Amino acid sequence: MQTAAATAKAPHHLGRAWFLLAAALALHVFDEASTGFLSVYNPTVAALRERYSWFPMPQFEYRTWLAGLIIAVVVLVLLTPLAAANVRVIRPLGYLFAGIMLLNGIGHTAGTIAGRSVASVHFARPMPGFYSSPLMIAAAIYLLVQLRRSA
């Protein structure tokens, strides 16, 4: 078991982990955009809204969806220096970022296994966005580990 002093001196790579997850997300956006993700996403949202009127997710036009994700990736990359400096405000954002990306990757994997997102939305396997999901899952776990180590 490490002492507190040894843990404090242990190297952490929070900035690297943050950047790798942002890069994995960029690859995932490319994967989704090139494999027709919105053809699964929009009907899924419509079906969920029909069943659950409170369902908060929006439907997207391709340009708006892609532009929003590109902006998000750029902002996340620009936050890398704050993560590298282990700035306090970045830590909860890091947990949120990693958690959402972990669930996103698991969702694409589960969708690929099931061959559908909801009962009424079927698609040819693999689910659009699946190919980059393992990398995104691994990068999210790496960020979670680095957040824990740098606490």
Side-chain angles (χ1 to χ4, degrees):
M1 188 168 199
Q2 287 185 333
T3 65
T7 303
K9 292 182 181 180
H12 59 84
H13 304 285
L14 189 57
R16 178 186 308 167
W18 183 282
F19 180 79
L20 286 175
L21 185 52
L25 175 58
L27 179 64
H28 186 66
V29 169
F30 175 79
D31 184 7
E32 287 181 337
S34 63
T35 57
F37 175 69
L38 287 182
S39 67
V40 172
Y41 173 84
N42 282 334
T44 300
V45 168
L48 289 170
R49 279 192 186 157
E50 187 175 307
R51 186 166 185 163
Y52 308 105
S53 60
W54 55 265
F55 190 70
M57 298 302 291
Q59 290 179 296
F60 291 105
E61 294 292 325
Y62 182 78
R63 281 179 74 113
T64 305
W65 169 77
L66 187 57
L69 286 174
I70 290 170
I71 290 168
V73 168
V74 168
V75 168
L76 289 165
V77 168
L78 291 173
L79 290 173
T80 300
L82 296 177
N86 199 10
V87 173
R88 179 179 282 185
V89 71
I90 207 74
R91 299 187 59 73
L93 294 174
Y95 281 108
L96 181 66
F97 179 31
I100 290 170
M101 294 303 101
L102 183 62
L103 291 174
N104 188 348
I106 291 169
H108 283 274
T109 303
T112 295
I113 292 167
R116 63 187 177 90
S117 55
V118 293
S120 60
V121 181
H122 294 263
F123 46 82
R125 290 184 181 122
M127 182 178 188
F130 167 75
Y131 293 116
S132 58
S133 291
L135 177 62
M136 196 163 56
I137 291 168
I141 292 170
Y142 181 54
L143 179 55
L144 290 170
V145 167
Q146 293 308 315
L147 283 162
R148 174 87 170 127
R149 284 186 179 166
S150 63

